[in-house]
Amino acid sequence: MALALDRIRVGSAPDSWGVWFPDDPQQVPWERFLDEVAEAGYSWIELGPYGYLPTDPARLTDEVTKRNLKVSAGTIFCGLHRGPSEWDSTWEQVSRVAALTQAMDAKHLVVIPSFWRDDKTAEILEPPELTTEQWRNLTTGMERLGREVKDTYGLDIVVHPHADTHIDTEEHVEQFLDSTDSGAVNLCLDTGHYAYCGGDSVKLIETYGERIGYLHLKQVDPDILADVVKNEVPFGPAVARGVMCEPPAGVPELGPVLTAAQKLGVDLFAIVEQDMYPCEPDKPLPIAVRTRKFLRSCGA
């Protein structure tokens, strides 16, 4: 019998409905996302790109409450490795998202490092490796962000390792964790992105358990991934090829990941995110229903 995952709170996100941008004609309307995520059996959601869901707290509260939904986190992107000159523009973005996140009674802000390769156009924006000075900017900047977000908004930041960013591989993730204070910043472990970049999620949870503050549940298709790696395909086009696949068809196995997370003995959100940009509007709901059923079979 599967271990009862009573410390894991499962949800989903706009990402699983093909939503990557605040406004895009290829994406489903936000009302449809909310209707369908509730219909699929989820009770927790993330805000997704700021501006996709209503940004007026009263209106958003009304929309999620009438569907019996609750918000677990907001999301921001930032390029703090570029140094102190990035702070003001980062904080301006953070302030908008964090204020809405706080107003929705959520406790987490997912922080994604900026892309070195554009996820839509595949244009190379920066070198994929950071200099020593840039690493120092990144770690000290994230610690400052964590402390100021906590002091101002009462939220915990969780940094999300992500393909085509500077925090991606096992080596980079461990370097980031070893260089930062757990009192200021912890990790949003995205199982799909970590596998995409060659990492082992169970090993990371077992090794750095006290730093795991949040989970994104995602799988990659190993055959498509092998071709993506071989041909150095950027993340956006890789997603269009279907590199992120419906569980349980890909890797890593989510049962062992959830079991390892449960053994940490802390309450954790585990938000389903199957990158599907762009996708047909009728595709997400059946996948979401099947994925929820699969996670229940794992004990979640």
Side-chain angles (χ1 to χ4, degrees):
M1 181 177 172
L3 179 69
L5 303 175
D6 59 354
R7 305 303 293 266
I8 309 294
R9 291 169 287 183
V10 171
S12 193
D15 195 34
S16 296
W17 267 256
V19 175
W20 276 12
F21 303 99
D23 185 39
D24 188 300
Q26 298 189 85
Q27 298 175 170
V28 298
W30 63 266
E31 298 95 336
R32 180 170 179 177
F33 160 68
L34 290 179
D35 289 342
E36 291 189 352
V37 74
E39 184 182 338
Y42 295 99
S43 55
W44 293 94
I45 61 165
E46 290 185 1
L47 295 176
Y50 183 79
Y52 174 66
L53 294 176
T55 56
D56 173 64
R59 185 176 183 206
L60 184 55
T61 298
D62 179 58
E63 295 289 351
V64 299
T65 301
K66 71 185 184 185
R67 295 171 173 88
N68 294 313
L69 296 170
K70 293 170 284 190
V71 174
S72 62
T75 303
I76 65 121
F77 290 82
C78 66
L80 293 173
H81 66 284
R82 299 186 192 111
S85 61
E86 286 286 306
W87 180 261
D88 288 347
S89 61
T90 299
W91 189 252
E92 183 182 3
Q93 179 202 174
V94 167
S95 298
R96 290 194 301 269
V97 179
L100 182 59
T101 304
Q102 179 191 44
M104 300 309 295
D105 289 328
K107 302 299 180 191
H108 294 89
L109 187 67
V110 177
V111 179
I112 301 176
S114 58
F115 289 82
W116 57 262
R117 177 163 57 184
D118 190 280
D119 59 335
K120 201 168 186 180
T121 68
E123 177 191 357
I124 302 293
L125 305 172
E126 297 182 64
E129 289 288 337
L130 295 178
T131 65
T132 301
E133 181 183 12
Q134 287 174 322
W135 263 110
R136 189 164 56 249
N137 290 337
L138 177 64
T139 55
T140 58
M142 286 293 193
E143 286 179 333
R144 179 184 176 189
L145 186 66
R147 293 189 177 102
E148 297 207 15
V149 166
K150 186 72 169 179
D151 289 347
T152 308
Y153 298 102
L155 306 176
D156 293 323
I157 74 164
V158 281
V159 175
H160 181 322
H162 196 293
D164 287 0
T165 77
H166 296 108
I167 307 178
D168 50 2
T169 62
E170 180 177 312
E171 179 185 3
H172 287 159
V173 170
E174 291 186 354
Q175 182 176 351
F176 178 75
L177 290 174
D178 290 343
S179 305
T180 50
D181 176 6
S182 63
V185 55
N186 286 306
L187 211 65
C188 168
L189 169 59
D190 184 303
T191 60
H193 279 279
Y194 202 50
Y196 185 103
C197 298
D200 180 333
S201 288
V202 171
K203 178 186 172 188
L204 187 68
I205 293 169
E206 291 176 344
T207 308
Y208 287 90
E210 75 284 356
R211 303 301 300 276
I212 307 298
Y214 200 91
L215 296 172
H216 279 169
L217 301 180
K218 188 179 295 177
Q219 286 191 326
V220 295
D221 180 312
D223 294 331
I224 297 176
L225 179 62
D227 185 65
V228 163
V229 172
K230 178 183 176 184
N231 293 297
E232 299 183 354
V233 178
F235 180 67
V239 167
R241 292 186 185 191
V243 72
M244 298 299 182
C245 62
E246 178 182 345
V251 295
E253 282 188 73
L254 294 180
V257 171
L258 291 166
T259 298
Q262 170 71 20
K263 288 178 179 176
L264 296 177
V266 296
D267 293 330
L268 283 173
F269 282 107
I271 304 300
V272 176
E273 276 201 336
Q274 183 184 342
D275 290 303
M276 292 194 293
Y277 179 86
C279 73
E280 294 298 320
D282 293 336
K283 185 178 178 183
L285 178 58
I287 291 175
V289 170
R290 291 191 297 265
T291 301
R292 188 71 194 93
K293 183 178 179 181
F294 166 70
L295 292 173
R296 284 196 179 99
S297 77
C298 296

